[in-house]
Amino acid sequence: MIKAATIKEVKDNVREWKKQGLTIGLVPTMGYLHEGHASLIKRARGECDKVIVSDFVNPIQFGPKEDLATYPRDFDADCELCEGLGTDLIFHPEPSEMYLEGFHSYVGVDTLSTELCGKSRPIHFNGVCTVVSKLFNITEADKAYFGQKDAQQLAIVKRMVRDLNFNIEIVGCPIIREESGLAKSSRNTYLSEEEREKALVLHKALTVGEEMVRSGEKDANVVKKAVTDIIESEPLARVDYVEIVDWNELQKVDKIDGPILTAVAVYFGDKVRLIDNFIVEEAVK
Amino acid sequence: MIKAATIKEVKDNVREWKKQGLTIGLVPTMGYLHEGHASLIKRARGECDKVIVSDFVNPIQFGPKEDLATYPRDFDADCELCEGLGTDLIFHPEPSEMYLEGFHSYVGVDTLSTELCGKSRPIHFNGVCTVVSKLFNITEADKAYFGQKDAQQLAIVKRMVRDLNFNIEIVGCPIIREESGLAKSSRNTYLSEEEREKALVLHKALTVGEEMVRSGEKDANVVKKAVTDIIESEPLARVDYVEIVDWNELQKVDKIDGPILTAVAVYFGDKVRLIDNFIVEEAVK
């Protein structure tokens, strides 16, 4: 496995692979890899000739009061996991390699970025779109793999690729959960034993909500209230949002009559913010 | 010469050319082609295996009170010019082909977009960066050719390509002038006979300014005043701006001690706004 710290190293390898007519799969990550990431790498490994994993805690997608400094990092463990899964190249640049002096460019997607996490994290998705655009250009990947855990990110990146005509296919992959039901996340490492147990309330609430939608409940506010009530029954949980939006423009809906995303963000303690969601692609008759 | 109206047609041709290992040059234009554009196409023809000219009046780079509706168009004449210069493909999409329903994405460059034309045309460079990003992805060109006439645009596109790691080289090409000295522009067609003659004052003023800088004048405000005075001596001319900025970050300078851009924008009558400039790349000792 090649460990590349510079953009030039990646581009040199990519040029060689392209010359040989090989396809490239990209798994963009912020490192501290877990089974969620592993599922993306495995999918890429099965579908592409060469697999690149980027491992970069992207500073510009963190707000000033967020957890950039403390975001968990373990590059050696990441390398081991990637190598074990047959990754061809891991890209692990310094921020100064990605953001040169005089860096002033940005990429973003309106409308889809305004609700859900866009409300409490106003610069977040611009940072994501910008770094992802860079990674697409650096790797010239044919396919890129994103988890549905970050559903809004997935929708935004898909729209960006369509709108800006990137020559890449975005593959959305299912949420990977612990046996308990807790969605895998690098930020789970922040949770105490007790919080980790209490955090199960997210999946529990969403399971009830999904069941309601699939059984034909059309009133978004009824579903929202049921989900919120279950989460708020847990004293350690503080709801950032519980929202139901259409799974196209990500705008709030009152009536469920098409594909919808139900997404939640919940604080545990002061610094841990977890997200989870379900998508119902087919309107229930 | 292939006339393509859809993105798919362009991409199909590009894929075929790439398979053959051919290089591609892109000349992005808004049509109504003149000798300025011709010089870009000739340069591309000399340097690349395949030449694509895009011919698209990009709606999102026009402000609500600007001349989108009246911007001059003559696709048949453009085709004749392009074919005569050995263009391989002219891309002439409808706005609805470039901006699908639910188009929400944007690309921009901060700082470099704030001064000069950025002041009177606040959305302009976002529109330029967005369409240019699309064209780069659609054509996968190795080189793209831009005129120095739009100096701020040239600087912004270069920065965008560097920052976002586009796999393309931006080639800046000199301003092409009529024998009288008037910089070639599609918007010159708006000028009456009289205004066209009076508009020569731009080149005259800039020539004096450039001579001052090359002779060692270090005080930007002295040069600015000289240029402004000459332009304002012409009653038909109404100055939008006369500015001297560093030819890197495009920020105003008081002292000339490095590469600088002197740029002017001047209205003639109510609706014609002309731009012109000179660049001095070497600091004068």
Side-chain angles (χ1 to χ4, degrees), chain A residues 7 11 100-112 126 130 133-134 137-138 140 159-160 162-167 249, chain B residues 7 11 100-112 126 130 133-134 137-138 140 159-160 162-167 249:
Chain A
I7 292 167
K11 285 200 173 189
L100 297 178
E101 201 181 331
F103 187 98
H104 297 307
S105 302
Y106 54 85
V107 185
V109 179
D110 280 333
T111 311
L112 282 71
N126 257 31
T130 303
S133 293
K134 285 170 67 69
N137 286 335
I138 291 167
E140 295 180 59
R159 185 65 56 94
M160 179 188 86
R162 188 204 74 159
D163 284 354
L164 301 180
N165 310 104
F166 277 101
N167 298 294
E249 295 287 307
Chain B
I7 292 166
K11 287 201 171 187
L100 298 177
E101 199 181 332
F103 186 98
H104 297 306
S105 303
Y106 53 85
V107 186
V109 179
D110 280 335
T111 311
L112 282 71
N126 258 30
T130 304
S133 293
K134 286 171 65 70
N137 286 335
I138 291 167
E140 295 180 58
R159 186 64 57 92
M160 179 189 85
R162 188 204 73 157
D163 284 354
L164 300 181
N165 310 102
F166 277 101
N167 299 294
E249 295 288 307

Side-chain angles (χ1 to χ4, degrees), chain B residues 45-110:
Chain B
R45 182 68 289 162
E47 296 183 353
C48 305
D49 297 321
K50 294 289 180 181
V51 174
I52 298 177
V53 175
S54 63
D55 185 308
F56 177 60
V57 181
N58 176 35
I60 69 167
Q61 73 187 66
F62 288 78
K65 288 178 183 171
E66 291 181 6
D67 56 347
L68 172 61
T70 57
Y71 194 86
R73 293 159 166 90
D74 189 344
F75 185 57
D76 290 341
D78 291 347
C79 285
E80 202 174 323
L81 182 140
C82 287
E83 189 140 31
L85 295 172
T87 301
D88 297 285
L89 186 150
I90 187 165
F91 177 43
H92 183 61
E94 291 294 323
S96 58
E97 172 74 6
M98 291 292 271
Y99 301 110
L100 298 177
E101 199 181 332
F103 186 98
H104 297 306
S105 303
Y106 53 85
V107 186
V109 179
D110 280 335

Side-chain angles (χ1 to χ4, degrees), chain A residues 30 57-64 66-68 71 123 187:
Chain A
M30 298 215 300
V57 181
N58 176 36
I60 70 168
Q61 72 188 64
F62 287 79
E66 290 180 7
D67 57 345
L68 173 60
Y71 194 87
I123 63 147
R187 288 189 171 97

Side-chain angles (χ1 to χ4, degrees), chain B residues 105-169:
Chain B
S105 303
Y106 53 85
V107 186
V109 179
D110 280 335
T111 311
L112 282 71
S113 305
T114 54
E115 298 293 330
L116 309 175
C117 289
K119 283 205 167 154
S120 49
R121 308 188 74 187
I123 62 145
H124 177 66
F125 291 114
N126 258 30
V128 169
C129 288
T130 304
V131 79
V132 162
S133 293
K134 286 171 65 70
L135 291 169
F136 289 175
N137 286 335
I138 291 167
T139 65
E140 295 180 58
D142 300 278
K143 295 184 175 192
Y145 298 80
F146 290 83
Q148 187 205 300
K149 159 92 159 9
D150 299 294
Q152 188 175 15
Q153 169 179 281
L154 174 59
I156 287 170
V157 171
K158 275 190 175 175
R159 186 64 57 92
M160 179 189 85
V161 163
R162 188 204 73 157
D163 284 354
L164 300 181
N165 310 102
F166 277 101
N167 299 294
I168 196 166
E169 180 191 337

